[in-house]
């Protein structure tokens, strides 16, 4: 079974803090994705990576950055958290090609106060 | 830009009834996915539809894809309470550049 894990299920941070969300997959998938999910808006792609040290912007990259130093790990970084970044963050991974079925982690519910 | 629209966005139905959720998308694609999400949980893959005319069934759920009409349907037969969840369709964005584009989800409540 594919397993995608995320470092925290719930996280509370203060405005201006630097926040790291970690995602690890154990299936040797080439592609990894970060989405945020908000009520009424569905899932929106923040960033994705198709190889180690490679990254591409998704639909809403502003205020975020990512890091992929190892194939199995993809980190989402909020350089200076703001209240409008309060959301559910979902990590996913897939084999190539990039349109292949994605497998999701359990999600991190981030609250920025 | 690919747009994916689901309807209805909210559906309350009784056990034993049949209903269909629709997923329309705006550009040519041969690949569509259905996911299920339970409250507070992550997304679980339900169906992968990879060609025109593809039909997949699992229990009381059946999904189909018409690429010419740019339409997929998720049909629920004789609904049971356990199927209450939010259902998302996702479409390949084309060219492989951006992965999948998701609809906003259909929140389904099945009442006894």
């Amino acid at each position: 079974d594919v397993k995608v894990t995320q470092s925290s299920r719930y996280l509370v941070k203060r405005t201006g803090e630097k926040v790291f969300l970690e995602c690890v997959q154990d299936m040797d998938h080439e592609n990894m994705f970060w989405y945020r999910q908000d009520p009424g808006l569905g899932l929106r792609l923040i960033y994705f990576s198709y190889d180690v040290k490679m990254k591409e912007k998704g639909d809403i990259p502003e205020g975020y950055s990512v890091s992929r130093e190892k194939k199995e790990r993809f980190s989402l970084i909020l350089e200076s958290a703001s209240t409008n970044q309060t959301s559910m963050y979902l990590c996913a991974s897939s084999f190539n090609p990039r349109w292949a079925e994605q497998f999701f982690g359990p999600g991190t519910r981030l609250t920025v106060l | 830009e690919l747009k994916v629209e689901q309807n209805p966005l909210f559906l309350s139905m009784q056990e034993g009834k049949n209903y269909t959720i629709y997923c329309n998308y705006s550009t040519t694609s041969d690949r569509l996915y259905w996911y299920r999400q339970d409250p507070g949980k992550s997304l679980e893959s339900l169906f992968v539809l990879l060609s025109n005319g593809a039909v997949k069934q699992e229990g009381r759920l059946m999904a189909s894809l018409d690429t010419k009409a740019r339409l997929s349907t998720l049909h629920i037969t004789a609904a049971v309470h356990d199927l209450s969840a939010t259902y998302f369709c996702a479409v390949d964005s084309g060219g492989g550049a951006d992965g999948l584009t998701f609809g906003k989800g259909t929140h389904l409540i099945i009442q006894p």
Side-chain angles (χ1 to χ4, degrees):
Chain A
D1 271 358
V2 176
K3 192 153 186 189
V4 182
T5 57
Q6 295 183 230
S7 50
S8 306
R9 290 302 306 274
Y10 300 94
L11 209 51
V12 179
K13 295 292 181 180
R14 297 213 172 268
T15 301
E17 280 193 78
K18 191 168 186 176
V19 181
F20 292 88
L21 303 182
E22 301 281 335
C23 175
V24 178
Q25 50 92 6
D26 66 357
M27 282 301 292
D28 204 34
H29 284 170
E30 292 87 3
N31 306 312
M32 296 188 75
F33 307 82
W34 276 107
Y35 295 89
R36 65 176 281 176
Q37 182 179 20
D38 300 289
L41 296 178
L43 277 75
R44 293 179 292 167
L45 182 65
I46 305 171
Y47 266 99
F48 67 100
S49 169
Y50 53 90
D51 201 353
V52 176
K53 297 193 186 295
M54 304 302 290
K55 61 184 178 184
E56 289 194 25
K57 294 180 180 179
D59 299 319
I60 51 165
E62 296 78 19
Y64 303 94
S65 62
V66 290
S67 173
R68 193 165 180 202
E69 296 296 320
K70 293 184 178 182
K71 189 175 185 180
E72 67 271 19
R73 189 180 298 268
F74 192 35
S75 303
L76 180 69
I77 304 155
L78 287 66
E79 296 289 343
S80 177
S82 63
T83 55
N84 63 12
Q85 292 178 309
T86 292
S87 187
M88 170 71 91
Y89 289 88
L90 293 167
C91 174
S93 68
S94 73
F95 284 117
N96 278 330
R98 296 182 202 176
W99 45 258
E101 182 185 10
Q102 294 181 17
F103 297 87
F104 284 82
T108 296
R109 185 164 292 283
L110 173 67
T111 302
V112 183
L113 302 175
Chain B
E1 179 192 346
L2 172 61
K3 293 192 187 307
V4 180
E5 291 188 358
Q6 287 182 238
N7 71 82
L9 296 182
F10 181 83
L11 176 59
S12 179
M13 56 191 292
Q14 288 185 313
E15 280 191 328
K17 301 289 188 184
N18 303 332
Y19 210 81
T20 301
I21 299 169
Y22 297 89
C23 175
N24 290 91
Y25 53 96
S26 61
T27 64
T28 303
S29 178
D30 289 338
R31 296 175 279 265
L32 189 139
Y33 306 81
W34 284 97
Y35 289 87
R36 168 183 173 146
Q37 186 178 38
D38 292 306
K41 302 284 182 65
S42 191
L43 276 73
E44 172 192 352
S45 179
L46 285 176
F47 298 111
V48 178
L49 304 169
L50 298 178
S51 61
N52 184 41
V55 177
K56 295 276 183 77
Q57 182 160 7
E58 178 79 29
R60 300 173 188 273
L61 299 177
M62 183 173 73
S64 65
L65 178 61
D66 181 344
T67 59
K68 291 180 171 50
R70 299 178 187 171
L71 171 69
S72 178
T73 60
L74 180 65
H75 187 72
I76 303 153
T77 302
V80 293
H81 178 69
D82 285 353
L83 291 177
S84 297
T86 300
Y87 293 86
F88 291 90
C89 63
V91 180
D92 166 31
S93 303
D98 294 318
L100 303 180
T101 298
F102 283 79
K104 292 184 178 177
T106 296
H107 184 48
L108 175 63
I109 296 176
I110 299 169
Q111 304 189 18

